[in-house]
Amino acid sequence: MYPSNFDYRRPSTVDEAIALLAKHGDEAKLLAGGHSLIPAMKLRLAQPKVVVDIGRIANLSYIRDAGASIAIGAMTTHQEIETSALLRARSPLLADVAARIGDVQVRNKGTIGGSLAHADPAADYPAAILALDAEIDLASPRGRRTVKASAFFVDLLQTAIAADEILIEVRVPATAKTVAYVKTEQKASGFALAGVAVVIGEGGVRVGVTGIAAKAYRAAAVEQALAGQTRPAAAAIALAASRAADGVEPLGDIHASPAFRAHLAQVNTKRAIEQALGRA
Ligand SMILES: Cc1cc2nc3c(=O)[nH]c(=O)nc-3n(C[C@H](O)[C@H](O)[C@H](O)COP(=O)(O)OP(=O)(O)OC[C@H]3O[C@@H](n4cnc5c(N)ncnc54)[C@H](O)[C@@H]3O)c2cc1C
């Protein structure tokens, strides 16, 4: 399949990219790694009139120590996150998650900004971004604003990013080693049928779940059941994990029924909590 005709623009600064979005509005689409946008254009699910390639903007690809957090530029690839010594040492969850994305080609080209902006319900990062309570910076003609992970994912393929905004940076807090990501993947693509990210810290357990519903979510019932516990007992973990799909409407498709997805959420939540505790 060929995409419909489009103009191609390649800005060299964020300001130029913002100006192009402001000029073309809904008719423009940013191109990052292209691993979601290009297939969508070939299937004509996306038909932008203008493609704005942000791949040559120099200062959008980095992983930096920002004190209590680690700052990651939007164009940082999954491979760079997977192999970052800084993330491995100070906030290992995101690196664990990146290592589980797709295959080597996808990890070499795909970016964290593109993945979060696309908000595929089966993408891996959203589970970790929610469990880490990350912050996401967006830039537009109105300036820069920060969105908390909890307000970022709005619905299926929909985020808090406006048509004239660019995702610039993601910040994740430094954490202890007690984190884990457990996923059951769709075997051909690697996308999550159920992916569960867990962060265990002083305040208890935070759980992000992807692949189950139209958007990734925090498993509030699990978190409440384990509130304040840093070393929950096996029975408490099992009981809490059984609530991993409470309050959500699981999706069904040829790969997994809603009931199977809900079951996988429960099993993977239990395993992720046990795995995180095992790293203490
Ligand atoms: C075969 C295959 C297997 C895959 N398996 C997995 C998997 O197992 N797990 C997983 O999580 N993902 C998987 N993916 C998706 C992959 O991770 C992509 O990298 C990701 O979905 C999109 O990132 P990208 O950089 O390629 O973005 P693009 O495709 O370039 O863009 C995606 C969307 O985000 C917008 N966008 C991009 N950058 C920005 C920005 N900075 N600000 C605002 N909007 C922006 C674009 O306009 C577009 O709408 C797979 C993809 C393929 C092709």
Side-chain angles (χ1 to χ4, degrees):
M1 283 286 287
Y2 295 100
S4 46
N5 288 339
F6 57 88
D7 281 344
Y8 174 81
R9 300 296 169 88
R10 201 174 68 198
S12 49
T13 65
V14 169
D15 285 347
E16 277 173 44
I18 289 172
L20 285 165
L21 289 186
K23 181 172 173 201
H24 298 286
D26 281 348
E27 299 201 321
K29 272 272 178 206
L30 296 174
L31 175 71
H35 268 60
S36 292
L37 182 62
I38 301 292
M41 287 171 64
K42 287 185 166 187
L43 292 167
R44 307 231 170 165
L45 296 171
Q47 300 192 38
K49 297 252 180 335
V50 183
V51 169
V52 179
D53 182 352
I54 55 174
R56 304 288 171 96
I57 298 179
N59 53 357
L60 278 183
S61 179
Y62 56 83
I63 302 174
R64 282 185 205 134
D65 193 332
S69 61
I70 317 295
I72 304 164
M75 286 299 294
T76 308
T77 63
H78 311 328
Q79 191 270 346
E80 288 163 337
I81 290 172
E82 173 189 0
T83 57
S84 161
L86 179 60
L87 282 171
R88 290 264 169 224
R90 298 206 53 223
S91 193
L93 179 60
L94 215 55
D96 290 350
V97 170
R100 300 293 312 277
I101 295 176
D103 52 35
V104 76
Q105 290 91 339
V106 174
R107 294 197 293 277
N108 277 335
K109 288 299 288 179
T111 66
I112 188 166
S115 177
L116 294 178
H118 190 59
D120 191 297
D124 292 293
Y125 285 133
I129 291 297
L130 286 166
L132 286 164
D133 218 2
E135 290 182 334
I136 296 154
D137 277 7
L138 308 175
S140 75
R142 297 172 298 288
R144 199 158 158 157
R145 68 180 176 123
T146 299
V147 179
K148 296 286 286 181
S150 54
F152 183 77
F153 301 103
V154 173
D155 205 342
L156 188 88
L157 304 175
Q158 281 177 41
T159 69
I161 305 175
D164 61 354
E165 282 184 313
I166 299 183
L167 195 161
I168 296 292
E169 181 178 282
V170 179
R171 281 184 303 282
V172 295
T175 66
K177 299 268 182 242
T178 43
V179 297
Y181 182 60
V182 174
K183 99 164 152 172
T184 307
E185 70 271 25
Q186 198 275 318
K187 295 296 174 198
S189 69
F191 274 110
L193 293 177
V196 180
V198 163
V199 176
I200 303 178
E202 307 241 314
V205 180
R206 288 203 304 266
V207 182
V209 184
T210 189
I212 303 297
K215 63 171 185 164
Y217 63 93
R218 284 270 293 271
V222 180
E223 295 183 3
Q224 276 155 24
L226 296 175
Q229 301 186 48
T230 47
R231 291 218 62 88
I237 296 171
L239 193 62
S242 70
R243 308 195 58 189
D246 279 15
V248 300
E249 243 181 80
L251 301 170
D253 56 26
I254 55 164
H255 305 300
S257 67
F260 186 47
R261 274 198 165 82
H263 173 70
L264 289 175
Q266 296 164 358
V267 171
N268 289 349
T269 298
K270 179 171 173 289
R271 289 181 182 167
I273 295 170
E274 288 168 350
Q275 219 178 83
L277 289 170
R279 284 171 110 179

